[in-house]
Amino acid sequence: GLLQSTNGNTPFCVALGTRDRVAGEITPVSAEHSATRDNNEADYGAHRGIDLNFDTFSNTYHDQDGIPWFRLTLDQVHCVTQVIRYQTNGTPFLTWTCSDTQCTCTGPYCRYHPLTVSTTGTLPNNLPTVTDCTYGDTVQIDCTNVFQNYGFSIYEIGVIGIRQVTWRADLRCGEGYLDSNGNPAE
């Protein structure tokens, strides 16, 4: 949670440590990045960017190709609507809103941090056509231009999306909505 304080007439927020997931947020299966600051996985590993704790952070540097990146793997294909990179005080730093063709960013330094949503395998053929999200099971932020030599930190990142739902025509009416694991969808 956040504690709202004032410094004279200027309001500011102080992180209290942990955060709650927002509605529709997808819990990543894993996080990885190009290289870890000081090779210190315990303090700066990619997992620190998804541990729901603003007091920790992932700190990545460039890899052998010279490009720092941070990647999340999701449990299955989701239709990703939004990705939020939070500051240490719990406020959004960069927000990407996804359509069926791309994810566009709002916030400072957007031009240095392109985000892609992709799929490691093949997308199922029976996905509904949508325009307000991007299908994928992988989310990656790259770092380009001026910050390449320095890398970047992720205090917390949240992926918001819609669970993939498929239809099985062999079931009776009202029984056909299943998730990608074949379980009845909610």
Side-chain angles (χ1 to χ4, degrees), residues 133-153:
C133 58
T134 301
Y135 285 113
D137 59 12
T138 305
V139 175
Q140 181 166 320
I141 301 172
D142 292 319
C143 184
T144 61
N145 205 341
V146 70
F147 296 109
Q148 279 182 306
N149 294 328
Y150 304 104
F152 62 100
S153 298

Side-chain angles (χ1 to χ4, degrees), residues 39-62:
N39 290 318
N40 185 340
E41 285 294 322
D43 289 342
Y44 306 116
H47 66 283
R48 293 297 190 184
I50 59 170
D51 64 1
L52 301 176
N53 187 342
F54 290 115
D55 296 329
T56 63
F57 60 94
S58 161
N59 194 264
T60 183
Y61 287 152
H62 60 81

Side-chain angles (χ1 to χ4, degrees), residues 54 65 68 71 104 110 164 172 175 177:
F54 290 115
D65 295 330
R71 182 181 306 137
T104 55
C110 282
Q164 174 213 337
R172 292 180 307 194
E175 297 176 336
Y177 289 102

Side-chain angles (χ1 to χ4, degrees), residues 27-116:
T27 303
V29 173
S30 65
E32 59 184 315
H33 56 205
S34 48
T36 304
R37 175 182 170 181
D38 302 327
N39 290 318
N40 185 340
E41 285 294 322
D43 289 342
Y44 306 116
H47 66 283
R48 293 297 190 184
I50 59 170
D51 64 1
L52 301 176
N53 187 342
F54 290 115
D55 296 329
T56 63
F57 60 94
S58 161
N59 194 264
T60 183
Y61 287 152
H62 60 81
D63 60 7
Q64 62 275 14
D65 295 330
I67 303 207
W69 51 266
F70 181 88
R71 182 181 306 137
L72 297 173
T73 301
L74 309 178
D75 64 333
Q76 66 180 43
V77 172
H78 291 267
C79 204
V80 176
T81 57
Q82 195 172 60
V83 178
I84 303 170
R85 180 177 165 196
Y86 294 96
Q87 298 185 90
T88 187
N89 66 5
T91 61
F93 176 62
L94 298 174
T95 301
W96 294 267
T97 301
C98 301
S99 71
D100 59 337
T101 59
Q102 67 180 350
C103 297
T104 55
C105 182
T106 55
Y109 306 109
C110 282
R111 67 180 180 218
Y112 303 123
H113 297 283
L115 178 131
T116 54

Side-chain angles (χ1 to χ4, degrees), residues 19-28 74 78-84 158-163:
R19 77 172 181 93
D20 295 324
R21 294 201 187 279
V22 299
E25 186 169 347
I26 302 161
T27 303
L74 309 178
H78 291 267
C79 204
V80 176
T81 57
Q82 195 172 60
V83 178
I84 303 170
V159 179
I160 294 96
I162 303 163
R163 179 170 65 167

